[in-house]
Every structure is written in C-alpha cells, then in structure tokens.
Amino acid sequence: MHKPKKQAALGFIFATLLIDVIGLGIIIPVIPKLIEHLIHGDVSDASWYGGWLTAAYAGMQFIFAPVIGNLSDKFGRRPVLLCSLLGFSVDYLFSAFAPTIAWLFVGRIVAGITGASFTTASAYIADISDPEKRAANFGLVGVAFGLGFIIGPALGGILGKYDVHYPFIAAAALALLNAIYGYFILPESLAPENRRSFDIKRANPFGSVIQLKKYKSVIGLALCMFLIYFAAQAVQSVWTYYTIKKFNWNEDMVGYSLGFVGLMVASVQGGLIRIILPKLGTERSIWIGLLLYASGLAFFAFAVKGWMMFAILIPYCLGGIAGPAIQGYMSNSVPANEQGELQGGLTSLISISSIFGPLLMTESFYYFTKPNPFFQFPGAPFAIGAILMLLRAILAVRSFRGEKRSEARDQSLNLVRKSGSPKEKVT
C-alpha cells in the first residue's frame, strides 16, 4: 500500500474506532443506575452485578476472539470489523430495553461473541504500518480511546439525566452508523498474498495463547500485557461505583471525570508517545510507564477529596506510554501473515484478565463497602492494582534482561561457528 493510501487508511480506522469508543463511553455513567433500577439495590450491590456482566462479555470474547482473529487472517479485516460493530449495536439495544437484569447478560454475551473491533483494528494497523512506525501507529488506538472518552461519557451523563435508557439507544445508533460508514468507506488492509487458510487448531482460545510461545521475546511481554490489563480493571470496573460511593458524584460528574481521562489519554497517545518513545527507547518507556501506572493506582486508593482523582489521573495516564511500546515490540517479532493471530492471542490474554479482573476488583469493592466488613476501604481495588503493576514492572525488566542474555549467547555461538572449533584450527 502506497504512503498516501496508508495515511488515508489510518484515518479511516481511526474514525471507525473513535465512533466505536464514543458508543462505549456514553453508557458508562448510567450503568450503575440502570443496574440499581433492575435489581432494586444500592451502588455496592450494583457493583457486584457489574463485575459479572463484564466477566460474561470477556468470557465470550476469550472463546471467540481467536476465531475472529484467524478469520480476519483468511477473509480480511474489513468484513470482521463490520460484523463486530453490528454485534455492539444489538448489545446496546438489548440493554436499552432490558426488562430484567438477565437481558443485560444476554446483550453482553452477544457483544462478547462479535466484539473484536479493537483486535481487528490492531491487526489492520499492523498490516499498513512500517515496522519502525508500528508502536507510534498503535498509539492511534489510544488516541481514539481518549477522544471517544472525552465525548462519550460527557454525552452519556447529559442524556442520563433525562432517562437512563437514552445513552444506550444513542450508543446503538452510533454503532450502526459506524458499520454503515465502514461498509462504504473502509478499505481492506490485508493483501491476498498475506492471507492464510483457517486452522481450527490455531483458533481455539488456549491454542492462540500457546502460539505466543513461538517467540521468546513475545511471551514475557505478553504476560506483562496480561498483568497490565488485569490491574487496570481497578479503574475500568470500579471507577464509577467508587466515585459515586465515596464522593457522592452524580452522572454528570462521572462523565466529566471520564472525559478528563479521555483528554489525558489522547494527549499521551496522540502526541507525547511519538516524542517519548524515540528518546527513551522501548525498554525504558515500558518500565517507566508501569511505575507511573502503579503510583497512580496507589494514590487513587487513598484519595480523600474528589478533586484529587483528577490530579492523580495525570501520572496514571502518563503510564500509557507502556502499552504501545510493548505492543509495537511484539508486533515487530511476528510475520505479516500472523499479525491477526498475534492480536487474537493478545486479546485472549486480555479477555482472561477481563474475566477475573473485574470479579476480583468489584468483589473487593463490594466487600469493603458493605455494612459490616472488618473495616471500610472502598479503595481496596486500586491498592490491589498498584501491587500488580509493580509486579509487572519487575517482570518487564527481567524479560528484557533475559532477552539480552539470549542475544549475547547467540552472538557468541555465531562467532564460534564462523571461526571454527579449536581442533580444526590446530589441524
């Protein structure tokens, strides 16, 4: 693909992701109220159901993401992405008109089966990116996420004041609009010569994770990615419930706070990362980013005023330099015709973290906010996340050190082979 076409394709995929994230962000501020309404409970009870809803979505995505990734390697990215968007539209409609909590689970399951928009988009970006620009281009996913979360939650908070169902209807309309936009505008990125036949053995959820073991440098960082997303569930799964419970925020305030998250993420992923990555290098970007994540989570856990959450978001979001650096490094280790498989395997790992992460985080929030625990500590999920982030920073450093030792050993062996054995020299 020529350079002008590559730039245009990046613009198309960015717009597609942006509309997708706006749809996701719209519903976040009102989910607690909708669950409370359906279960006739309080915010602590709603957090428990919220964790299981997230786990249901992630469980289906874990099973089906490798299938979707392998299908995109065979049929191309475009048709898979369009089906994913239609699946999200169905999910939002189920949520908007759900008469009981069970219908919310049905919608989440449908979205989990088809929800491969970010997986396929990552493979799409890998298809059209030069190796040296992949990390920076993967940052566009973060920019779309950031801008979408500036617009989406703020709009959701406004619509939620009128009716708790309006944000879901708006999200369904956006997902459908996105699918129509992609059908007419989005080009295919995977050239026919880079496609491969579908192999069911490589499309099972555990098989796609096992395939990551083919590359020694990838498996260590893949584990690091898993731990990042697991710990990030402290923010993703509990933020709305935590701020409502501890600071008595309403839908508007939750929406504004998430909009600020989006602004910070867009600034880091869209601008700073293109400056920081070349200067710091991949390795330093990863462990510095992880340390910033850990410090932000620790501060969230012990915040005593609502304004502190906004201030702490600055170092936390700066930690976002780690993700694209890890993803770009791994993508450069994999051939062009296996990018979909790599992204499917990573999505499977992320889905595992999204199954158990929300359960751990919402269960800990529920336990430490119900009437009679040993002590009240709503920030427990953030404290757990901070510990996990520190652990993965250590793992990242060890992974790079192991790779350097392996490279040094390979270089020594190559020198020996070129020079010949001592016995041959004597002869």
Side-chain angles (χ1 to χ4, degrees):
M1 192 180 286
H2 298 295
K3 188 173 181 179
K5 289 186 177 180
K6 286 184 178 180
Q7 294 299 321
L10 280 174
F12 292 144
I13 202 69
F14 175 78
T16 300
L17 287 173
L18 176 61
I19 297 173
D20 198 13
V21 176
I22 290 173
L24 288 169
I26 281 178
I27 67 174
I28 292 177
V30 295
I31 284 178
K33 180 181 285 188
L34 178 62
I35 297 175
E36 286 180 49
H37 172 73
L38 293 174
I39 66 172
H40 307 290
D42 60 15
V43 70
S44 294
D45 297 325
S47 71
W48 187 87
Y49 281 95
W52 281 101
L53 282 167
T54 304
Y57 170 81
M60 291 299 101
Q61 194 170 63
F62 171 69
I63 295 171
F64 287 95
V67 177
I68 298 299
N70 278 266
L71 286 174
S72 76
D73 282 340
K74 177 176 174 61
F75 297 107
R77 319 301 185 198
R78 185 174 176 273
V80 172
L81 188 58
L82 296 180
C83 289
S84 171
L85 297 173
L86 290 174
F88 274 122
S89 183
V90 172
D91 167 42
Y92 296 139
L93 287 175
F94 266 104
S95 300
F97 300 104
T100 65
I101 192 71
W103 282 99
L104 285 185
F105 280 95
V106 172
R108 288 280 77 191
I109 288 170
V110 170
I113 292 172
T114 59
S117 57
F118 279 87
T119 304
T120 311
S122 296
Y124 190 107
I125 291 170
D127 292 337
I128 63 175
S129 300
D130 297 325
E132 65 275 11
K133 293 184 177 180
R134 274 185 180 151
N137 287 342
F138 277 129
L140 287 175
V141 177
V143 178
F145 181 89
L147 290 176
F149 264 74
I150 294 172
I151 302 168
L155 182 59
I158 294 170
L159 292 174
K161 287 196 303 183
Y162 297 98
D163 191 297
V164 72
H165 301 97
Y166 286 172
F168 294 93
I169 297 172
L174 280 173
L176 184 59
L177 175 66
N178 204 357
I180 295 171
Y181 168 82
Y183 180 80
F184 288 105
I185 302 297
L186 190 67
E188 179 55 63
S189 65
L190 187 63
E193 62 270 19
N194 287 331
R195 300 185 187 186
R196 61 177 177 83
S197 60
F198 181 82
D199 184 355
I200 191 64
K201 292 181 179 179
R202 299 173 73 175
N204 73 77
F206 296 101
S208 64
V209 175
I210 293 171
Q211 288 294 322
L212 296 175
K213 292 169 60 178
K214 292 191 298 186
Y215 307 95
K216 293 180 180 179
S217 60
V218 164
I219 190 63
L221 291 177
L223 177 60
C224 190
M225 284 281 284
F226 168 78
L227 291 174
I228 287 174
Y229 279 90
F230 193 99
Q233 290 298 329
V235 174
Q236 296 173 19
S237 300
V238 178
W239 179 272
T240 306
Y241 305 100
Y242 177 74
T243 52
I244 291 173
K245 179 74 173 180
K246 189 166 185 177
F247 306 115
N248 200 29
W249 285 4
N250 56 20
E251 291 88 347
D252 281 357
M253 198 62 184
V254 171
Y256 297 147
S257 69
L258 292 173
F260 184 69
V261 171
L263 178 62
M264 287 301 304
V265 170
S267 299
V268 173
Q269 304 287 351
L272 288 178
I273 197 170
R274 296 174 182 268
I275 300 171
I276 293 173
L277 275 178
K279 290 187 176 181
L280 292 181
T282 300
E283 182 178 348
R284 292 178 67 191
S285 295
I286 290 172
W287 65 260
I288 289 174
L290 293 175
L291 290 176
L292 287 169
Y293 269 145
S295 62
L297 286 167
F299 291 141
F300 285 144
F302 297 98
V304 294
K305 298 289 184 180
W307 64 264
M308 293 181 178
M309 301 297 285
F310 286 87
I312 298 165
L313 280 169
I314 296 174
Y316 178 79
C317 291
L318 285 172
I321 63 174
I326 294 173
Q327 197 169 10
Y329 186 92
M330 288 190 291
S331 180
N332 289 336
S333 303
V334 174
N337 66 345
E338 295 183 4
Q339 290 294 331
E341 182 180 46
L342 170 66
Q343 301 305 329
L346 292 177
T347 301
S348 292
L349 285 177
I350 294 168
S351 295
I352 294 173
S353 73
S354 298
I355 294 169
F356 299 104
L359 294 177
L360 175 63
M361 300 307 178
T362 55
E363 285 283 352
S364 62
F365 177 80
Y366 171 72
Y367 180 78
F368 285 106
T369 56
K370 69 180 184 179
N372 296 306
F374 291 107
F375 58 93
Q376 291 277 331
F377 185 36
F382 298 105
I384 294 170
I387 294 170
L388 289 174
M389 282 290 183
L390 287 174
L391 174 62
R392 75 185 53 94
I394 295 170
L395 287 174
V397 171
R398 290 187 62 181
S399 176
F400 279 113
R401 285 180 179 175
E403 183 187 349
K404 288 177 181 177
R405 285 195 296 268
S406 178
E407 289 177 356
R409 184 168 56 251
D410 290 342
Q411 289 175 0
S412 298
L413 289 173
N414 288 334
L415 287 173
V416 170
R417 291 190 186 100
K418 289 178 181 179
S419 61
S421 66
K423 184 178 286 188
E424 289 173 337
K425 287 184 177 181
V426 172
T427 305

